[in-house]
Amino acid sequence: MKSKKTKTFGRLVKTMFSFYPKMLPITLFLILFSALVSSIPSLFMQRVIAVIEEHTALGNWGEAAAKILPMVAILASFYVLSLVSNALYNQMMAIITQGTLKRMREKMFNRMQILPVKYFDANNHGDIMSYYTNDIDTLRQMISQSIPQIIISLTTVITVFCIMIYFSLWLAIIVVVGTFLMTFVIKKVGGGSAKHFFRQQTAIGKVEGFAEEMMNGQKVVKVFCHEKESCADFDRINDELFCEAERANKYANTLGPILNNIGNVLYVVVAFVGGMLFAFNVPNLSIVGFSAMQISVFVPFLNMTKQFAGNINQVSHQINSVVMGMAGTERIFSLLDEEPEQDNGYVTLVNAKEENGELTESDERTGMWAWKHPHSDGSVTYTRLAGDVRMFDVDFGYTPEKTVLHNLSLYAKPGQKVAFVGATGAGKTTVTNLINRFYDIADGKIRYDGININKIKKSALRRSLGVVLQDTNLFTGTVMDNIRYGRLDASDEECIRAAELSGADDFISRLPDGYSTMLTENGANLSQGQRQLLSIARVAVADPPVMILDEATSSIDTRTEAIVARGMDALMKGRTVFVIAHRLSTVRNSDVIIVLEKGRIIERGSHEELIEKQGQYYRLYTGAFELE
Ligand SMILES: Nc1ncnc2c1ncn2[C@@H]1O[C@H](COP(=O)(O)OP(=O)(O)OP(=O)(O)O)[C@@H](O)[C@H]1O
Ligand SMILES: [Mg+2]
């Protein structure tokens, strides 16, 4: 556990150095400098008092003043230096802190973009959110306040300690023993709270996750009148957080008073011993190292004892937030360490044109695509993208324990409209998840225009596929922005044309601001069917070579659906389309219909063939199910 903490800390420091290779060392130097400068005055104190002592005895005030004034001037300049370096490092630290946080957030977000879909299946989204809010905040606290303070305090402690030894070895020894006691307490208490701080961060994540889930599912909660239960569940998680936070902070908060008291005891002991030495002025003790105590040493020494204990106390206060910050940092690093989606593909997708019967690459959008296939000997071949998708003996499960697709073999020839039908949970969406490689297959092979899809770069593969997912997702922005999401360089006219093709134009033009209507919260101000039409328009504008429509028109009335179908047919003429639909009228005109049952293909053929066969499709289509 401890070595992990050290490692995390080391990594954080290294990361920060990589962000600010020049500024960070300068800042650290300024912090050190400022700490050193602020502990020097003790030395002068001793001199000043010594001068006063000496001259009081002689009654020579004029000479004393002449000696003291330059010292005071030096002292003042030290304070000014300290002030300036203090202001400087605080400014630089603010830049470093905010910059580090910004880049950390950036790193987290970038990492999140390349994580596999699996990661989001397995992790609570609100919990992931709390990396950006809560964990980042603990990091801020630690970098901007705790660490500088600790550096200052430790430096002060060390310099003060050196001066103490210089003044009086024995009194310094008393202080050392006291310090050992203090560090022992810090270690015991601080170490005990570390694990609770980590759990506290995790618990905060849970609370945020739950709140988010309930917000998203707010309507369901109301429909089932589950408000009370939600509150009870929340209380439970909130209690968990409370317990961990209480334990963590209880330990840490006890630390302050304990250390304060040790510091006070130390002060008293030093005062007592020093006072005795001074009062009795025991000269024969000098053989064991005691020198007769002088008031010029005694006064600053007491001062330093206070300074010493106070700074140790400071460290202990900051340890609290360092431990918390480390817990947050550990979580942030755990996200940054998540294994990204593997992509060993090297075949890319390019715009192509035909010259003298040969395919060549083109910089412009030609409407013709080709797979660019680099070979180990440096040569490059181009294969025209036709949209031929074949699966051979594919086995797949989301988890190793449960196979969802069994020994699946299928083909879609270029230009074919292939439909998947079957009961809920049969594996229709899963098949499409494999084609666009949201998940990788356990066994078997998938070929796309004769190329193993593992060899195709994922971005190229996905660019070649226009997918309308079963769950519609729209983003904050105007209707136009949402359509343009499909292809960022599409003009307004192209977006409107896509909307017309997908049958969305009709309702969009009736919206208060037409294409400029703002959508928020996943298009909460639209109907489900309208959202679906927009997601179809979004794909249509991308004009992809192959299209996958997963229940894309399930919430759209049959008349509008017919309009969508006509538009899509025009758009996809000569291209491969995969359609998934429960409403069988949607798939009727497909070239091939594949019937899935529990992850296996049980029938394949055109509508007429399957009807004639009087198998499962026939039963689904005629509703003969219930009769059996
Ligand atoms: N992300 C996932 N993690 C684990 N199992 C999953 C996941 N998604 C789906 N499954 C499982 O895989 C099986 C097939 O699911 P799939 O989504 O492919 O069904 P479907 O045929 O599309 O159903 P529907 O018609 O309801 O959309 C189901 O048994 C489901 O429990
Ligand atoms: Mg599905």
Side-chain angles (χ1 to χ4, degrees):
M1 187 79 181
K2 192 179 166 216
S3 76
K4 196 175 168 198
K5 282 252 149 32
T6 333
K7 242 191 215 158
T8 310
F9 187 73
R11 187 168 161 197
L12 177 66
V13 172
K14 227 162 133 190
T15 313
M16 287 175 66
F17 263 102
S18 73
F19 292 160
Y20 294 97
K22 281 191 196 128
M23 205 180 199
L24 190 58
I26 295 176
T27 311
L28 288 177
F29 172 78
L30 283 177
I31 295 177
L32 268 177
F33 180 74
S34 152
L36 276 176
V37 165
S38 66
S39 47
I40 299 279
S42 300
L43 266 179
F44 278 89
M45 259 315 249
Q46 187 254 339
R47 293 266 181 84
V48 172
I49 294 177
V51 170
I52 295 175
E53 227 183 344
E54 194 181 307
H55 291 81
T56 323
L58 300 172
N60 191 350
W61 284 106
E63 206 176 306
K67 275 191 182 167
I68 290 171
L69 271 179
M71 284 190 200
V72 173
I74 295 175
L75 204 60
S77 48
F78 266 119
Y79 277 125
V80 170
L81 264 180
S82 162
L83 190 81
V84 171
S85 60
N86 206 306
L88 262 179
Y89 88 68
N90 269 312
Q91 278 203 10
M92 289 164 95
M93 210 59 211
I95 297 172
I96 291 176
T97 308
Q98 295 308 330
T100 303
L101 298 189
K102 173 181 170 257
R103 295 207 196 176
M104 282 297 208
R105 282 194 296 261
E106 200 173 87
K107 268 174 172 263
M108 283 200 287
F109 192 77
N110 290 349
R111 173 57 54 139
M112 227 168 66
Q113 296 305 302
I114 55 170
L115 289 182
V117 176
K118 230 192 274 169
Y119 176 80
F120 300 95
D121 286 350
N123 289 281
N124 183 308
H125 294 185
D127 190 25
I128 301 175
M129 272 308 301
S130 86
Y131 290 134
Y132 290 89
T133 52
N134 186 51
D135 293 314
I136 278 283
D137 197 57
T138 61
L139 192 61
R140 180 192 57 74
Q141 173 84 9
M142 179 172 79
I143 302 176
S144 67
Q145 289 171 12
S146 309
I147 292 183
Q149 187 56 55
I150 285 180
I151 297 177
I152 291 201
S153 294
L154 285 183
T155 317
T156 313
V157 161
I158 292 168
T159 40
V160 162
F161 182 65
C162 291
I163 301 173
M164 277 174 157
I165 290 182
Y166 168 69
F167 280 165
S168 165
L169 180 68
W170 284 96
L171 285 186
I173 287 175
I174 294 177
V175 176
V176 168
V177 173
T179 314
F180 266 116
L181 206 64
M182 278 184 168
T183 31
F184 179 73
V185 172
I186 290 177
K187 233 182 142 169
K188 265 268 165 280
V189 180
S193 55
K195 65 172 185 288
H196 294 297
F197 273 116
F198 186 79
R199 287 189 203 149
Q200 176 188 317
Q201 292 306 101
T202 316
I204 291 176
K206 265 196 209 163
V207 167
E208 291 192 4
F210 187 81
E212 193 196 275
E213 201 176 333
M214 287 306 116
M215 217 142 49
N216 288 340
Q218 178 223 99
K219 285 180 187 153
V220 182
V221 172
K222 286 202 194 326
V223 163
F224 288 96
C225 303
H226 264 247
E227 289 91 342
K228 265 204 192 120
E229 285 81 354
S230 299
C231 287
D233 285 344
F234 184 78
D235 280 350
R236 194 171 38 73
I237 307 176
N238 201 15
D239 259 352
E240 233 169 76
L241 168 59
F242 168 74
C243 288
E244 292 303 344
E246 188 191 44
R247 266 177 225 147
N249 290 292
K250 195 167 65 190
Y251 281 125
N253 289 352
T254 351
L255 205 58
I258 294 178
L259 290 180
N260 239 339
N261 280 323
I262 298 179
N264 287 342
V265 170
L266 212 58
Y267 187 82
V268 171
V269 171
V270 169
F272 178 75
V273 175
M276 293 302 257
L277 290 177
F278 176 69
F280 295 107
N281 208 347
V282 215
N284 48 358
L285 275 181
S286 57
I287 33 166
V288 284
F290 275 113
S291 53
M293 184 55 70
Q294 296 162 337
I295 195 86
S296 63
V297 168
F298 185 44
V299 172
F301 204 101
L302 268 181
N303 236 341
M304 284 189 289
T305 310
K306 220 171 187 173
Q307 211 180 356
F308 189 86
N311 274 297
I312 297 251
N313 217 336
Q314 268 297 334
V315 172
S316 80
H317 272 306
Q318 299 305 336
I319 276 185
N320 218 353
S321 61
V322 168
V323 172
M324 202 150 80
M326 290 317 294
T329 312
E330 223 170 283
R331 274 164 54 89
I332 290 173
F333 279 143
S334 79
L335 173 64
L336 295 184
D337 287 342
E338 277 298 331
E339 195 63 31
E341 192 171 8
Q342 290 299 325
D343 189 2
N344 302 321
Y346 50 86
V347 176
T348 51
L349 188 67
V350 293
N351 285 299
K353 57 176 186 269
E354 215 154 10
E355 269 174 4
N356 314 325
E358 229 181 271
L359 270 186
T360 50
E361 202 171 329
S362 162
D363 294 333
E364 284 151 34
R365 247 185 115 77
T366 53
M368 187 195 287
W369 289 270
W371 298 112
K372 182 179 180 181
H373 203 140
H375 299 281
S376 47
D377 61 0
S379 65
V380 175
T381 52
Y382 294 94
T383 318
R384 185 165 177 166
L385 190 152
D388 178 288
V389 179
R390 287 162 198 267
M391 290 193 176
F392 303 94
D393 306 319
V394 168
D395 287 329
F396 172 76
Y398 290 96
T399 50
E401 307 88 56
K402 190 176 164 235
T403 311
V404 173
L405 297 181
H406 307 266
N407 206 18
L408 211 72
S409 294
L410 60 88
Y411 58 87
K413 290 186 193 153
Q416 270 188 335
K417 185 172 173 185
V418 180
F420 292 106
V421 298
T424 291
K428 306 179 292 293
T429 301
T430 307
V431 174
T432 62
N433 279 344
L434 298 184
I435 296 177
N436 61 25
R437 286 192 71 198
F438 277 171
Y439 302 88
D440 283 323
I441 50 178
D443 213 354
K445 216 176 262 169
I446 304 178
R447 285 182 174 276
Y448 191 161
D449 289 333
I451 308 165
N452 185 335
I453 58 166
N454 290 336
K455 290 185 187 166
I456 303 176
K457 234 181 148 43
K458 275 185 181 164
S459 55
L461 175 71
R462 289 176 189 161
R463 208 142 37 86
S464 80
L465 301 167
V467 186
V468 178
L469 296 169
Q470 193 164 10
D471 304 318
T472 49
N473 251 310
L474 300 171
F475 297 105
T476 302
T478 62
V479 169
M480 189 67 91
D481 293 340
N482 269 283
I483 297 177
R484 192 171 287 129
Y485 200 90
R487 181 159 61 85
L488 296 178
D489 60 358
S491 65
D492 283 2
E493 289 68 38
E494 286 173 308
C495 291
I496 294 171
R497 167 97 189 103
E500 282 166 1
L501 270 178
S502 57
D505 180 64
D506 190 38
F507 92 83
I508 296 172
S509 47
R510 278 185 281 112
L511 287 174
D513 293 323
Y515 283 85
S516 313
T517 308
M518 274 301 282
L519 301 180
T520 48
E521 285 283 322
N522 196 13
N525 38 355
L526 297 180
S527 80
Q528 180 63 24
Q530 289 169 337
R531 263 176 277 186
Q532 285 192 336
L533 288 176
L534 270 190
S535 7
I536 298 172
R538 179 168 64 188
V539 167
V541 82
D543 193 14
V546 174
M547 199 134 116
I548 298 172
L549 306 170
D550 191 351
E551 293 289 359
T553 52
S554 59
S555 301
I556 296 168
D557 70 88
T558 40
R559 203 185 71 88
T560 314
E561 190 184 24
I563 298 172
V564 176
R566 225 175 302 139
M568 288 292 107
D569 285 347
L571 178 71
M572 298 312 292
K573 204 166 171 62
R575 299 183 196 159
T576 314
V577 187
F578 293 96
V579 185
I580 297 174
H582 285 293
R583 199 195 274 161
L584 295 183
S585 58
T586 314
V587 301
R588 226 190 118 137
N589 69 348
S590 306
D591 300 305
V592 188
I593 297 169
I594 293 172
V595 185
L596 282 171
E597 192 179 79
K598 294 185 183 135
R600 289 187 165 81
I601 296 177
I602 52 166
E603 282 169 30
R604 183 190 161 102
S606 68
H607 174 75
E608 287 72 26
E609 286 164 5
L610 292 178
I611 289 292
E612 202 169 305
K613 198 172 167 189
Q614 301 220 337
Q616 185 75 352
Y617 180 79
Y618 173 80
R619 285 194 289 277
L620 280 171
Y621 193 75
T622 55
F625 245 146
E626 293 97 316
L627 303 178
E628 280 191 352

